[in-house]
Amino acid sequence: MSSLLKILENEVQIAALAFMGLVYSVRLAWVFRFKIGRDRTLPAGSGRSGTGYSLMSIAMPWAMESTRKRPGRYVEFVVFHLGVAAAIAASFIIPYGPGLFETAWVRASFQALIAAAGFVGLVRLARRLTDPVLRAISSPDDYFSLALLIFWLAAGVLAAPNRPQAGEGPLAAFFGLTAFFLVYVPFSKISHYLYYPFTRIYLGRALGHRGAWPPAAAKAAGARPAGEDAA
């Protein structure tokens, strides 16, 4: 392995990761400056139960109308995010635990998952380009981030065997893109996951306080659960 690739797999990644951590720390410090607003109405339910339901809704596709009517979209969501998580794990395994990928089925499992995520990414990009509704709400960052993610996932599939002696191109591409993402993500929509807990806690607490969430409690109380049709 060349010294340049060693630096790219180690020092460059650590520096990019530190930069991401610094930006996220600043953002979180800014977010925590604000106090969560309190609903001043009389409680019709439990804010705590609503918060729990809100946080767990990501694992309940039946709870959201969009995934309830189109379960395939939820499968896409799960595969895409698991593949991205596998690629992130690979960026640590290759330099710091390469022995794990010497086991063929482990390496093949990672490659299959990352490749599946790349395929879902292509489907999502095609949908965003062809669906007029999605096009209307898409920003340049949406296209750029998704296209780059697809390239990164493809590079991850090729880099997983970790054989620099056969050519350092796939490894250099994978770690080069990984470093770029670590610097770019805090400024793109990809960083939505940072705010996910805050929005879900706020929404869950508000709707739980008003008795709309969880739906089972709302039905028991005779209220119409949030997200359900009036008919």
Side-chain angles (χ1 to χ4, degrees), residues 50-51 54-55 57 195-205 213:
T51 300
S54 180
L55 288 170
S57 64
Y195 305 107
Y196 178 83
F198 299 100
T199 56
R200 299 312 301 186
I201 289 172
Y202 179 79
L203 183 64
R205 197 168 77 166
W213 276 0

Side-chain angles (χ1 to χ4, degrees), residues 5 9 11 68 94 101-102 105 115 120 137 145 147 169 187 201:
L5 184 57
E9 287 189 5
E11 285 84 351
R68 187 167 57 240
I94 291 173
F101 279 171
E102 291 177 5
W105 71 267
V120 171
I137 61 173
S145 298
F187 306 102
I201 289 172

Side-chain angles (χ1 to χ4, degrees), residues 14 44 49 52 92 120 175 216:
I14 292 171
S49 297
F92 289 95
V120 171
F175 283 99

Side-chain angles (χ1 to χ4, degrees), residues 101-175:
F101 279 171
E102 291 177 5
T103 304
W105 71 267
V106 173
R107 182 177 66 249
S109 298
F110 269 76
Q111 287 178 299
L113 193 54
I114 296 170
F119 176 74
V120 171
L122 284 171
V123 171
R124 287 184 161 194
L125 182 59
R127 187 184 301 134
R128 192 172 287 278
L129 288 168
T130 57
D131 188 320
V133 176
L134 278 178
R135 275 208 312 271
I137 61 173
S138 296
S139 68
D141 176 54
D142 291 315
Y143 298 107
F144 179 71
S145 298
L146 190 51
L148 209 59
L149 268 173
I150 293 168
F151 281 114
W152 177 62
L153 291 167
V157 173
L158 298 175
N162 192 20
R163 298 191 182 101
Q165 68 277 13
E168 296 186 349
L171 286 164
F174 179 58
F175 283 99

Side-chain angles (χ1 to χ4, degrees), residues 182-194:
L182 289 171
V183 174
Y184 176 71
V185 162
F187 306 102
S188 80
K189 285 186 179 179
I190 302 176
S191 63
H192 62 278
Y193 57 82
L194 184 68

Side-chain angles (χ1 to χ4, degrees), residues 69-82:
K69 292 183 175 178
R70 290 176 291 190
R73 297 288 175 86
Y74 186 76
V75 175
E76 285 182 12
F77 165 81
V78 172
V79 170
F80 186 72
H81 285 83
L82 285 178

